[in-house]
Amino acid sequence: MSRQIFVNLPVKNLSQSVEFFTRLGFAFNPQLTNGNAACLIVSDNSFVMLLTEAMFQSFTPKTLCDATQSSEVLVALSAESREAVDDRVRKAVAAGGTLYNEPQDHGFMYGHGFQDLDGHIWEFFYMEPGTACQA
């Protein structure tokens, strides 16, 4: 059986977040998108649910953290090349995201990331062929 993953992130302004990620080239599943949530498609089995803070809060008794002040998750996505990593980060900054760190070059792996409009950290990384994790 193939598993799917849905990462849930609270956002302050859903329509601005959808516009931001659309500018980065992501698409959304309209069947799982409404005024309180938007389903960002990462791949066939990977999704990020952007939820209004009120909707997100309905799923947990815990207090929401301010992602601009604290880290609650690092979303890391693979890229096709080092250039693709840099391109995604450039697009994110142009769309209103911010840099939080310098690019990381470990030889076999290269990564760089940004903070989205709500401060969530998104990393893109490229691993040289033959070094990727195997399931």
Side-chain angles (χ1 to χ4, degrees):
M1 178 179 120
S2 178
R3 293 191 192 276
Q4 294 180 323
I5 184 169
F6 289 81
V7 176
N8 294 272
L9 294 178
V11 298
K12 293 189 182 315
N13 186 310
L14 184 60
S15 61
Q16 285 181 351
S17 292
V18 168
E19 180 182 337
F20 174 81
F21 286 105
T22 299
R23 289 181 64 186
L24 272 73
F26 287 101
F28 290 84
N29 179 341
Q31 294 175 322
L32 298 175
T33 298
N34 59 35
N36 292 312
C39 180
L40 182 150
I41 302 167
V42 175
S43 70
D44 290 344
N45 292 313
S46 302
F47 309 90
V48 175
M49 294 300 297
L50 303 176
L51 305 172
T52 63
E53 289 182 337
M55 175 64 97
F56 188 95
Q57 190 67 69
S58 73
F59 293 114
T60 179
K62 292 185 175 185
T63 303
L64 298 182
C65 90
D66 179 353
T68 64
Q69 301 297 313
S70 302
S71 293
E72 89 281 52
V73 67
L74 302 174
V75 179
L77 303 174
S78 62
E80 310 79 46
S81 66
R82 291 170 180 254
E83 295 78 19
V85 168
D86 291 335
D87 184 56
R88 287 283 181 146
V89 173
R90 268 193 301 276
K91 285 180 180 175
V93 171
T98 57
L99 296 178
Y100 75 96
N101 203 355
E102 295 296 319
Q104 304 292 310
D105 192 341
H106 301 284
F108 70 97
M109 182 175 70
Y110 174 77
H112 197 197
F114 61 89
Q115 293 181 117
D116 68 16
L117 302 178
D118 292 283
H120 304 295
I121 294 174
W122 293 74
E123 285 280 339
F124 284 89
F125 66 93
Y126 170 73
M127 293 183 82
E128 293 295 332
T131 60
C133 297
Q134 301 296 315

